[in-house]
Amino acid sequence: VTLGERCLLLPGASGSGKSTLAAALVMAGCGLLGDDTIVLAHDTLAARQMPFAICLKPGAWRLLRKQLPQLTQQPIHNPPDG
């Protein structure tokens, strides 16, 4: 996620809440660089945006529902990797 000229990368194990936290930060005004993948510039290591939407597991829906009530009405996409 980004805030102004700064970015925050959220490393962690699958299911640890990185995407849920990123979604909450985006709703609070941060920008989204990408979900699950980030590209760094070779010479400067600057983070570059990847146009992938946030993938939220069903457990995140309950946490984000108050701030994003339309979440449960969005189509569900099940990625090939589960």
Side-chain angles (χ1 to χ4, degrees), residues 14-31:
S14 178
S16 63
K18 301 177 303 292
S19 296
T20 304
L21 176 57
L25 290 170
V26 168
M27 288 186 287
C30 290

Side-chain angles (χ1 to χ4, degrees), residues 35-36 54-58 76-82:
D35 192 34
D36 286 336
I54 296 175
C55 180
L56 297 173
K57 295 177 177 80
I76 295 174
H77 171 73
N78 292 309
D81 66 355

Side-chain angles (χ1 to χ4, degrees), residues 3 6 57 74:
L3 185 59
R6 297 177 178 243
K57 295 177 177 80
Q74 299 302 310

Side-chain angles (χ1 to χ4, degrees), residues 1-14:
V1 294
T2 63
L3 185 59
E5 294 293 316
R6 297 177 178 243
C7 78
L8 174 66
L9 302 179
L10 303 169
S14 178

Side-chain angles (χ1 to χ4, degrees), residues 4 23 30 36 43 49 63-64 71 78-79:
C30 290
D36 286 336
D43 53 346
Q49 187 174 10
L63 296 171
L64 299 172
L71 179 65
N78 292 309

Side-chain angles (χ1 to χ4, degrees), residues 37-62:
T37 302
I38 193 71
V39 174
L40 301 177
H42 185 272
D43 53 346
T44 64
L45 297 180
R48 295 188 179 180
Q49 187 174 10
M50 293 293 294
F52 297 122
I54 296 175
C55 180
L56 297 173
K57 295 177 177 80
W61 303 352
R62 178 182 52 80

